[in-house]
Amino acid sequence: MKHLLFFFILILPCLIYAQKEQPMFDEYFFDQTMRIDYFHIGDADSETATLDQLYVYGIWAGSLTNLIDSFNQGRYYHKIYDAASGELIYSKGFDSYFGEYQTSAPAAKGIKRSFHESAIIPAPRAKIRFVLERRDKQQQLHEVFSAEIDPADVMIIREPVNDPQVKVFHPLQNGDPHKKVDVVILGEGYTAAEEAKFEQDLAHFTGAFFREEPYRSRRTDFNIYGVFKPSAQSGVDEPRHGSFKRTVLNATFNSLGSERYLL
């Protein structure tokens, strides 16, 4: 596969939420993003986590009103509590590559491995407690890891994230990210000479995406972005074929031993 697009729904301000009291955004958060990077470590029978780096940048591109994820889906949950009051002020369910690793043969043999993960939250005004929870076989969530985070910590990285090599395309724009679903397409394995191909592929994806329901009838609820940064070589790694490429995202097939699994 010479080219591909990574498709991430980075921010999903859910269109329909169960009726539930939500915290007031301005009381607990600034209109910026905090990224909490951590390592998820373990094997089939154990797991823990440890913080890596903290970042604050940009705006918060998610909902200002739906801060608590009430869908109760995903093997894991990120939960953010106000440290002073103990109130839950943000949550998000998700699945992770570490969760897949736990089902693998090496994990069953007790081989512990470490995987890098990120929690994306609104930037807090005061100290918070960051909690990682895991769902058990009875579908109950249990705390795996927690840590207090002080937004005034001088070690939080606040440098601008602008990269002069990055170009952002806007094939579909329908308004305020706080009120829309932002879909970001990251181009991988495109060289500088293949920028036009990336733009064509982006337009093709956008057209295909909105031909299907429920997206077709909700087209005005979406913003689509394409992020292009040229790679040194065209393509991606295919280890079983002895093919390795220098690319922006360092994507590779054969993840978890599966020839078709690319990460």
Side-chain angles (χ1 to χ4, degrees), residues 9-254:
I9 297 184
L10 295 184
I11 303 297
L12 181 56
C14 298
L15 304 177
I16 301 175
Y17 254 91
Q19 293 298 315
K20 184 177 181 179
E21 186 175 352
Q22 297 275 338
M24 297 294 292
F25 186 90
D26 290 337
E27 181 179 353
Y28 294 106
F29 301 107
F30 294 108
D31 191 8
Q32 290 181 289
T33 295
M34 173 176 277
R35 192 179 95 212
I36 304 169
D37 286 1
Y38 61 95
F39 292 99
H40 203 158
I41 308 160
D43 55 25
D45 299 315
S46 66
E47 63 184 301
T48 187
T50 181
L51 291 181
D52 179 23
Q53 297 278 4
L54 302 175
Y55 300 80
V56 171
Y57 51 75
I59 67 165
W60 170 245
S63 174
L64 302 180
T65 54
N66 292 321
L67 301 174
I68 306 300
D69 184 347
S70 59
F71 285 126
N72 195 31
Q73 295 177 346
R75 185 179 308 194
Y76 292 96
Y77 254 77
H78 290 142
K79 291 187 176 180
I80 304 298
Y81 295 88
D82 175 58
S85 67
E87 181 181 355
L88 178 67
I89 56 175
Y90 182 83
S91 67
K92 186 69 176 177
F94 68 101
D95 284 291
S96 76
Y97 188 50
F98 174 83
E100 289 192 67
Y101 174 70
Q102 285 195 303
T103 68
S104 70
K109 295 176 181 177
I111 299 174
K112 289 181 169 59
R113 289 186 177 165
S114 177
F115 298 87
H116 202 251
E117 298 178 358
S118 298
I120 307 296
I121 69 170
R125 292 179 176 273
K127 290 181 180 179
I128 59 170
R129 188 166 71 94
F130 166 68
V131 176
L132 174 66
E133 292 187 350
R134 176 194 172 90
R135 194 180 304 278
D136 63 21
K137 293 181 180 179
Q138 288 72 46
Q139 302 303 305
Q140 300 301 309
L141 290 166
H142 302 276
E143 183 176 304
V144 170
F145 172 80
S146 71
E148 185 173 278
I149 294 174
D150 183 355
D153 189 336
V154 296
M155 297 306 293
I156 295 176
I157 298 171
R158 304 174 190 273
E159 63 190 34
V161 295
N162 295 333
D163 185 332
Q165 287 189 290
V166 170
K167 182 178 291 188
V168 180
F169 295 89
H170 304 86
L172 182 68
Q173 293 289 285
N174 282 308
D176 186 354
H178 293 318
K179 300 176 182 179
K180 304 297 179 181
V181 181
D182 283 351
V183 178
V184 178
I185 310 300
L186 304 178
E188 165 68 327
Y190 292 83
T191 64
E194 294 168 330
E195 180 180 332
K197 176 170 172 48
F198 171 74
E199 191 171 9
Q200 292 168 4
D201 291 344
L202 177 63
H204 174 76
F205 166 82
T206 303
F209 188 69
F210 289 106
R211 281 198 294 270
E212 305 295 332
E213 293 291 359
Y215 311 108
R216 181 170 58 188
S217 60
R218 304 303 295 261
R219 183 184 180 96
T220 58
D221 291 318
F222 287 81
N223 293 323
I224 306 290
Y225 304 84
V227 179
F228 175 81
K229 183 174 181 177
S231 291
Q233 294 179 296
S234 180
V236 295
D237 293 349
E238 297 182 78
R240 289 186 180 173
H241 297 281
S243 178
F244 296 90
K245 306 289 186 176
R246 288 190 296 120
T247 59
V248 170
L249 299 177
N250 196 29
T252 179
F253 283 99
N254 301 119

